Coordinates of all heavy atoms in Angstrom, one line a residue:
M204 N 0.8 -1.2 0.0 CA 0.0 0.0 0.0 C 0.9 1.2 0.0 O 1.9 1.3 0.6 CB -0.9 0.0 1.2 CG -1.8 1.2 1.3 SD -3.1 1.1 2.5 CE -4.4 0.7 1.4
N205 N 0.4 2.3 -0.6 CA 1.1 3.6 -0.7 C 1.3 4.2 0.7 O 0.3 4.3 1.4 CB 0.3 4.5 -1.7 CG 1.0 5.8 -1.9 OD1 1.8 6.3 -1.1 ND2 0.6 6.4 -3.0
E206 N 2.5 4.6 1.0 CA 2.7 5.2 2.4 C 2.0 6.5 2.5 O 1.8 7.0 3.6 CB 4.2 5.4 2.7 CG 4.9 6.5 2.0 CD 6.3 6.6 2.4 OE1 6.6 7.2 3.4 OE2 7.1 6.2 1.6
Y207 N 1.5 7.1 1.4 CA 0.7 8.4 1.5 C -0.8 8.2 1.3 O -1.5 9.1 1.1 CB 1.3 9.4 0.5 CG 2.7 9.7 0.8 CD1 3.7 9.3 -0.1 CD2 3.1 10.5 1.9 CE1 5.0 9.5 0.1 CE2 4.4 10.7 2.1 CZ 5.4 10.3 1.2 OH 6.7 10.6 1.5
A208 N -1.2 6.9 1.3 CA -2.6 6.7 1.1 C -3.5 7.4 2.2 O -3.1 7.3 3.4 CB -2.9 5.2 1.1
G209 N -4.5 8.0 1.7 CA -5.4 8.7 2.7 C -4.9 10.0 3.1 O -5.6 10.7 3.9
G210 N -3.7 10.4 2.7 CA -3.2 11.7 3.1 C -3.7 12.9 2.2 O -4.5 12.6 1.3
R211 N -3.3 14.0 2.5 CA -3.7 15.2 1.7 C -3.1 15.2 0.3 O -2.1 14.6 0.1 CB -3.5 16.5 2.4 CG -2.1 16.8 2.7 CD -2.0 18.1 3.5 NE -0.6 18.6 3.4 CZ -0.1 19.6 4.0 NH1 -0.9 20.4 4.7 NH2 1.1 19.9 3.9
R212 N -3.8 15.9 -0.6 CA -3.4 16.0 -2.0 C -3.5 17.5 -2.5 O -4.3 18.2 -1.9 CB -4.2 15.1 -2.9 CG -4.2 13.6 -2.6 CD -2.8 13.0 -2.9 NE -2.8 11.6 -2.8 CZ -2.4 10.9 -1.7 NH1 -2.0 11.6 -0.6 NH2 -2.4 9.6 -1.7
S213 N -2.7 17.8 -3.5 CA -2.9 19.1 -4.2 C -3.3 18.8 -5.6 O -2.6 18.0 -6.2 CB -1.6 19.8 -4.2 OG -1.2 20.2 -2.8
V214 N -4.4 19.3 -6.0 CA -4.9 19.1 -7.4 C -4.9 20.3 -8.2 O -5.3 21.4 -7.8 CB -6.3 18.5 -7.3 CG1 -6.9 18.3 -8.7 CG2 -6.4 17.3 -6.5
Y215 N -4.3 20.2 -9.4 CA -4.2 21.4 -10.3 C -5.0 21.1 -11.6 O -5.0 19.9 -12.0 CB -2.7 21.6 -10.7 CG -1.9 22.0 -9.4 CD1 -1.3 21.1 -8.6 CD2 -1.7 23.4 -9.2 CE1 -0.5 21.5 -7.5 CE2 -1.0 23.8 -8.1 CZ -0.4 22.9 -7.3 OH 0.3 23.3 -6.2
G216 N -5.6 22.2 -12.1 CA -6.4 22.0 -13.3 C -7.5 21.1 -13.0 O -8.1 21.1 -11.9
D217 N -7.9 20.3 -13.9 CA -9.0 19.4 -13.7 C -8.6 18.1 -12.9 O -9.5 17.5 -12.3 CB -9.6 18.9 -15.1 CG -10.3 20.1 -15.7 OD1 -10.8 21.0 -15.0 OD2 -10.4 20.1 -17.0
S218 N -7.3 17.7 -13.1 CA -7.1 16.4 -12.4 C -5.6 16.1 -12.1 O -5.3 15.0 -11.6 CB -7.5 15.3 -13.4 OG -6.8 15.4 -14.6
A219 N -4.6 17.0 -12.3 CA -3.2 16.7 -12.0 C -3.1 16.6 -10.5 O -3.3 17.7 -9.8 CB -2.3 17.7 -12.6
T220 N -2.7 15.5 -10.0 CA -2.7 15.3 -8.5 C -1.3 15.1 -8.0 O -0.6 14.3 -8.6 CB -3.6 14.1 -8.1 OG1 -4.9 14.3 -8.7 CG2 -3.7 14.0 -6.6
F221 N -1.0 15.8 -6.9 CA 0.3 15.7 -6.3 C 0.2 15.4 -4.9 O -0.8 15.8 -4.2 CB 1.1 17.0 -6.4 CG 1.5 17.4 -7.9 CD1 0.5 18.1 -8.7 CD2 2.7 17.2 -8.4 CE1 0.8 18.4 -10.0 CE2 3.0 17.5 -9.7 CZ 2.0 18.1 -10.5
V222 N 1.2 14.7 -4.2 CA 1.3 14.5 -2.8 C 2.2 15.6 -2.4 O 3.4 15.7 -2.8 CB 1.9 13.1 -2.5 CG1 2.1 13.0 -1.0 CG2 1.1 12.0 -3.1
P223 N 1.7 16.5 -1.5 CA 2.6 17.7 -1.1 C 3.6 17.4 -0.1 O 3.7 17.9 1.0 CB 1.5 18.7 -0.6 CG 0.5 17.8 0.0 CD 0.4 16.6 -0.9
V224 N 4.6 16.6 -0.5 CA 5.7 16.3 0.3 C 7.0 16.5 -0.5 O 7.0 16.4 -1.7 CB 5.8 14.8 0.9 CG1 4.6 14.6 1.9 CG2 5.7 13.8 -0.2
C225 N 8.1 16.9 0.1 CA 9.3 17.1 -0.6 C 10.0 15.9 -1.2 O 10.0 14.8 -0.4 CB 10.3 17.8 0.4 SG 12.0 18.1 -0.3
A226 N 10.3 15.9 -2.4 CA 10.9 14.7 -3.1 C 12.3 14.4 -2.5 O 12.8 13.3 -2.6 CB 11.0 14.9 -4.6
K227 N 13.0 15.4 -1.8 CA 14.3 15.2 -1.3 C 14.3 14.7 0.2 O 15.0 13.7 0.5 CB 15.0 16.5 -1.3 CG 15.2 17.1 -2.7 CD 15.8 18.5 -2.7 CE 15.9 19.1 -4.1 NZ 16.3 20.5 -4.0
C228 N 13.4 15.3 1.0 CA 13.5 14.9 2.5 C 12.2 14.4 3.0 O 12.2 13.8 4.2 CB 13.9 16.1 3.3 SG 12.7 17.4 3.4
G229 N 11.1 14.5 2.3 CA 9.8 13.8 2.7 C 9.0 14.7 3.6 O 7.9 14.3 4.1
R230 N 9.4 16.0 3.9 CA 8.6 16.9 4.7 C 7.4 17.4 3.9 O 7.5 17.5 2.7 CB 9.4 18.1 5.2 CG 10.5 17.8 6.2 CD 11.2 19.0 6.5 NE 12.2 18.8 7.5 CZ 12.6 19.6 8.5 NH1 11.9 20.7 8.6 NH2 13.5 19.3 9.4
F231 N 6.4 17.9 4.5 CA 5.3 18.5 3.9 C 5.8 19.8 3.3 O 6.7 20.5 3.9 CB 4.1 18.8 4.8 CG 3.3 17.6 5.1 CD1 3.3 16.9 6.3 CD2 2.5 17.1 4.1 CE1 2.6 15.8 6.5 CE2 1.7 15.9 4.3 CZ 1.8 15.3 5.5
V232 N 5.3 20.2 2.1 CA 5.8 21.4 1.4 C 4.6 22.3 1.1 O 3.4 21.9 1.1 CB 6.5 21.1 0.1 CG1 7.8 20.3 0.4 CG2 5.6 20.3 -0.8
K233 N 4.9 23.6 0.7 CA 3.9 24.5 0.2 C 4.0 24.5 -1.3 O 5.0 24.9 -1.9 CB 4.1 25.9 0.8 CG 3.1 26.9 0.2 CD 3.3 28.2 0.9 CE 2.3 29.1 0.2 NZ 1.7 30.1 0.9
G234 N 2.9 24.0 -2.0 CA 2.9 24.0 -3.4 C 2.7 25.3 -4.0 O 2.1 26.2 -3.4
D235 N 3.2 25.5 -5.3 CA 3.0 26.7 -6.0 C 1.6 26.9 -6.3 O 0.8 25.9 -6.4 CB 3.9 26.7 -7.3 CG 5.3 26.8 -7.0 OD1 5.8 27.1 -5.9 OD2 6.1 26.5 -8.0
P236 N 1.1 28.1 -6.6 CA -0.3 28.3 -7.0 C -0.7 27.6 -8.3 O -1.9 27.3 -8.5 CB -0.5 29.8 -7.1 CG 0.8 30.4 -6.6 CD 1.8 29.4 -6.5
T237 N 0.3 27.4 -9.2 CA 0.1 26.8 -10.5 C 1.2 25.8 -10.8 O 2.3 26.0 -10.2 CB 0.0 27.8 -11.6 OG1 1.2 28.5 -11.7 CG2 -1.2 28.7 -11.4
V238 N 1.0 24.9 -11.7 CA 2.1 24.0 -12.2 C 2.0 24.2 -13.7 O 1.1 24.6 -14.3 CB 1.9 22.5 -11.8 CG1 2.1 22.4 -10.3 CG2 0.6 22.0 -12.3
T239 N 3.1 23.8 -14.4 CA 3.3 24.0 -15.8 C 2.9 22.7 -16.6 O 3.3 21.6 -16.2 CB 4.7 24.3 -16.2 OG1 5.1 25.5 -15.4 CG2 4.9 24.6 -17.6
F240 N 2.1 22.9 -17.6 CA 1.7 21.8 -18.5 C 2.2 22.2 -20.0 O 2.3 23.4 -20.3 CB 0.2 21.6 -18.6 CG -0.4 21.1 -17.3 CD1 -0.8 22.1 -16.4 CD2 -0.5 19.8 -17.0 CE1 -1.3 21.6 -15.1 CE2 -1.0 19.4 -15.8 CZ -1.4 20.3 -14.9
N241 N 2.6 21.2 -20.8 CA 3.0 21.5 -22.1 C 1.8 21.6 -23.0 O 0.6 21.5 -22.5 CB 4.0 20.4 -22.7 CG 3.4 19.1 -22.8 OD1 2.2 18.9 -22.8 ND2 4.3 18.1 -23.0
G242 N 1.9 21.8 -24.3 CA 0.8 22.0 -25.2 C -0.1 20.7 -25.4 O -1.2 20.9 -25.9
L243 N 0.4 19.6 -24.9 CA -0.4 18.4 -25.0 C -1.1 18.0 -23.7 O -1.7 17.0 -23.6 CB 0.6 17.2 -25.3 CG 1.4 17.3 -26.6 CD1 2.4 16.2 -26.8 CD2 0.5 17.4 -27.8
G244 N -1.1 18.9 -22.8 CA -1.7 18.7 -21.5 C -1.0 17.9 -20.5 O -1.5 17.4 -19.6
E245 N 0.3 17.6 -20.8 CA 1.1 16.8 -20.0 C 1.8 17.7 -18.9 O 2.3 18.7 -19.2 CB 2.2 16.0 -20.8 CG 1.5 15.1 -21.8 CD 2.5 14.6 -22.8 OE1 3.5 15.3 -23.1 OE2 2.3 13.5 -23.4
Y246 N 2.0 17.1 -17.8 CA 2.7 17.9 -16.7 C 4.2 18.0 -17.0 O 4.8 17.0 -17.4 CB 2.5 17.1 -15.3 CG 3.5 17.5 -14.2 CD1 3.5 18.8 -13.7 CD2 4.4 16.6 -13.8 CE1 4.4 19.2 -12.8 CE2 5.3 17.0 -12.8 CZ 5.3 18.2 -12.3 OH 6.2 18.6 -11.4
V247 N 4.8 19.2 -16.9 CA 6.2 19.4 -17.1 C 6.9 19.2 -15.7 O 6.6 19.9 -14.7 CB 6.4 20.8 -17.6 CG1 7.9 21.1 -17.7 CG2 5.7 21.0 -18.9
D248 N 7.8 18.3 -15.6 CA 8.5 17.9 -14.4 C 9.5 18.9 -14.0 O 10.6 18.9 -14.5 CB 9.1 16.5 -14.6 CG 9.6 15.9 -13.2 OD1 9.1 16.3 -12.2 OD2 10.5 15.1 -13.3
E249 N 9.1 19.9 -13.2 CA 10.0 20.9 -12.7 C 9.7 21.3 -11.2 O 8.7 20.8 -10.7 CB 9.9 22.2 -13.6 CG 8.5 22.8 -13.6 CD 8.4 24.0 -14.5 OE1 9.2 24.2 -15.4 OE2 7.4 24.7 -14.3
D250 N 10.6 22.1 -10.6 CA 10.3 22.4 -9.2 C 8.9 23.2 -9.1 O 8.6 24.1 -9.9 CB 11.4 23.4 -8.7 CG 12.7 22.6 -8.5 OD1 12.7 21.4 -8.6 OD2 13.7 23.3 -8.3
N251 N 8.1 22.7 -8.2 CA 6.7 23.3 -8.1 C 6.3 23.5 -6.6 O 5.2 23.6 -6.4 CB 5.7 22.4 -8.8 CG 5.8 20.9 -8.3 OD1 6.3 20.6 -7.2 ND2 5.2 20.1 -9.0
A252 N 7.3 23.5 -5.7 CA 7.0 23.7 -4.3 C 8.2 24.2 -3.6 O 9.3 24.2 -4.1 CB 6.5 22.3 -3.7
T253 N 7.9 24.7 -2.3 CA 9.0 25.1 -1.5 C 9.0 24.4 -0.2 O 7.9 24.3 0.5 CB 8.8 26.6 -1.2 OG1 8.8 27.4 -2.4 CG2 10.0 27.2 -0.4
C254 N 10.1 23.8 0.2 CA 10.3 23.1 1.4 C 11.1 24.0 2.4 O 12.0 24.7 2.0 CB 11.1 21.8 1.1 SG 11.6 20.9 2.6
Q255 N 10.7 24.0 3.7 CA 11.4 24.9 4.6 C 12.9 24.4 4.8 O 13.7 25.2 5.1 CB 10.7 24.8 5.9 CG 9.5 25.7 5.9 CD 8.9 26.0 7.3 OE1 9.1 25.2 8.2 NE2 8.3 27.1 7.5
K256 N 13.2 23.1 4.6 CA 14.5 22.6 4.8 C 15.3 22.7 3.5 O 16.5 23.1 3.5 CB 14.5 21.1 5.3 CG 15.8 20.5 5.5 CD 15.7 19.1 6.0 CE 17.1 18.5 6.1 NZ 17.0 17.1 6.5
C257 N 14.7 22.2 2.4 CA 15.5 22.1 1.1 C 15.4 23.2 0.2 O 16.1 23.3 -0.8 CB 15.0 20.8 0.4 SG 15.2 19.3 1.4
G258 N 14.4 24.2 0.4 CA 14.2 25.2 -0.5 C 13.3 24.8 -1.7 O 12.4 24.0 -1.5
R259 N 13.6 25.2 -2.9 CA 12.8 24.8 -4.1 C 12.9 23.3 -4.4 O 14.1 22.8 -4.3 CB 13.2 25.6 -5.3 CG 13.0 27.1 -5.2 CD 11.5 27.4 -5.1 NE 10.8 27.0 -6.4 CZ 9.5 26.8 -6.4 NH1 8.7 27.0 -5.4 NH2 8.9 26.5 -7.6
T260 N 11.9 22.7 -4.6 CA 11.8 21.2 -4.8 C 10.6 20.8 -5.6 O 9.9 21.7 -6.0 CB 11.8 20.5 -3.4 OG1 12.0 19.1 -3.6 CG2 10.5 20.7 -2.6
K261 N 10.4 19.5 -5.7 CA 9.3 19.0 -6.4 C 8.4 18.3 -5.5 O 8.8 17.6 -4.6 CB 9.7 18.0 -7.5 CG 10.6 18.6 -8.5 CD 11.1 17.5 -9.5 CE 12.1 18.1 -10.5 NZ 12.6 17.1 -11.4
M262 N 7.0 18.4 -5.7 CA 6.1 17.5 -5.0 C 6.1 16.2 -5.8 O 6.4 16.2 -6.9 CB 4.7 18.2 -5.0 CG 4.5 19.4 -4.2 SD 2.8 19.9 -4.1 CE 2.7 20.7 -5.7
L263 N 5.6 15.2 -5.1 CA 5.5 13.9 -5.8 C 4.3 13.9 -6.7 O 3.1 14.1 -6.2 CB 5.4 12.8 -4.7 CG 6.6 12.7 -3.7 CD1 6.3 11.7 -2.7 CD2 7.9 12.5 -4.4
F264 N 4.5 13.6 -7.9 CA 3.4 13.6 -8.9 C 2.7 12.2 -8.8 O 3.3 11.2 -8.9 CB 3.9 13.8 -10.3 CG 2.9 13.7 -11.4 CD1 1.8 14.7 -11.4 CD2 2.9 12.7 -12.4 CE1 0.9 14.7 -12.4 CE2 1.9 12.7 -13.3 CZ 0.9 13.7 -13.4
E265 N 1.4 12.3 -8.6 CA 0.6 11.0 -8.4 C 0.0 10.6 -9.7 O -0.2 9.4 -9.9 CB -0.4 11.2 -7.3 CG -1.0 9.9 -6.8 CD -1.8 10.1 -5.6 OE1 -2.6 11.0 -5.4 OE2 -1.5 9.2 -4.7
G266 N -0.5 11.5 -10.5 CA -1.1 11.1 -11.7 C -2.2 12.1 -12.1 O -2.5 13.0 -11.4
F267 N -3.0 11.7 -13.1 CA -4.2 12.5 -13.5 C -5.4 11.7 -13.1 O -5.5 10.5 -13.5 CB -4.2 12.7 -15.1 CG -3.1 13.7 -15.5 CD1 -1.9 13.2 -16.0 CD2 -3.3 15.0 -15.4 CE1 -0.9 14.1 -16.5 CE2 -2.4 15.9 -15.9 CZ -1.1 15.5 -16.4
Y268 N -6.2 12.2 -12.3 CA -7.4 11.5 -11.9 C -8.7 12.3 -12.2 O -8.7 13.5 -12.2 CB -7.4 11.3 -10.4 CG -6.3 10.4 -10.0 CD1 -5.1 10.9 -9.4 CD2 -6.4 9.0 -10.2 CE1 -4.1 10.1 -9.0 CE2 -5.4 8.2 -9.8 CZ -4.2 8.7 -9.3 OH -3.2 7.9 -8.9

């Protein structure tokens, strides 16, 4: 089972879902107000959150739901 099952999520657009934890240290992060998608509607994998310990980082991308 996913260790983040039942936890909070950040949803962007209609369905891009992220687990708001730092990809580097696992702490909860503050997500950016928006994330970037390319012209095909695909998520662009770039820094999209701020961690108090690590600074700019990525949230864990869960998928489109």
Side-chain angles (χ1 to χ4, degrees):
M204 177 168 259
N205 183 338
E206 80 180 273
Y207 300 109
R211 63 183 193 183
R212 301 290 187 264
S213 295
V214 179
Y215 294 88
D217 291 331
S218 63
T220 305
F221 294 83
V222 179
V224 297
C225 179
K227 298 173 187 173
C228 70
R230 290 178 179 219
F231 283 106
V232 297
K233 178 174 175 146
D235 292 348
T237 61
V238 295
T239 305
F240 295 90
N241 67 15
L243 301 173
E245 300 166 333
Y246 163 65
V247 177
D248 190 25
E249 61 184 18
D250 289 350
N251 57 14
T253 303
C254 174
Q255 284 192 332
K256 179 180 177 185
C257 302
R259 293 298 294 160
T260 189
K261 298 176 185 177
M262 290 186 283
L263 302 177
F264 181 63
E265 191 168 51
F267 290 98
Y268 295 102

